[in-house]
Amino acid sequence: MNELLIANLRAQCGGPRDGALLRFSLGNALLAAGDAAGSIVEFRQALAFDAGYSAAWKLLGKACLAIDDSAGAADAWRQGISVAQTRGDKQAEKEMTVFLRRVENQP
């Protein structure tokens, strides 16, 4: 099922429906399928379309963490927290703050 979803989303990339939501959805599907590196590319593309997409920052951090890039995850979450604060997205801000604290407190 996920392979079909990924193929369908990829088919839309570069077309008239390409944008932050499409790339976020593709990144989310890739992350769920275990392709964290591929998802990072798509989350970054989503953020190129809309740097204020706090959910993309949140999952970019998770994807970075999945490839053992703690510094990249922390950076994504810091940027995401700033975006969430600007947009008034309290829930995303809280979640990313918790994730960031966990990464910063790792030995």
Side-chain angles (χ1 to χ4, degrees):
M1 171 71 181
N2 210 20
E3 291 173 17
L4 181 60
L5 173 63
I6 291 169
N8 287 336
L9 292 170
R10 280 196 170 137
Q12 296 178 54
C13 292
R17 299 186 71 184
D18 200 357
L21 180 58
L22 174 64
R23 297 303 180 123
F24 174 80
S25 298
L26 178 54
N28 193 28
L30 288 167
L31 186 59
D35 184 1
S39 73
I40 289 170
V41 171
E42 298 305 329
F43 291 133
R44 291 195 187 282
Q45 189 63 40
L47 292 164
F49 280 110
D50 180 3
Y53 200 159
S54 54
W57 286 112
K58 181 175 79 169
L59 289 188
L60 174 59
K62 285 189 170 196
C64 288
L65 201 58
I67 63 165
D68 294 323
D69 180 7
S70 296
D75 183 55
W77 289 327
R78 281 187 201 101
Q79 291 181 63
I81 290 165
S82 176
V83 164
Q85 288 171 338
T86 300
R87 296 181 69 141
D89 188 350
K90 297 292 186 192
Q91 183 62 34
E93 178 186 350
K94 286 178 187 177
E95 290 175 13
M96 288 185 277
T97 299
V98 169
F99 299 151
L100 180 59
R101 279 191 200 132
R102 287 181 189 157
V103 167
E104 290 175 339
N105 291 330
Q106 287 179 351

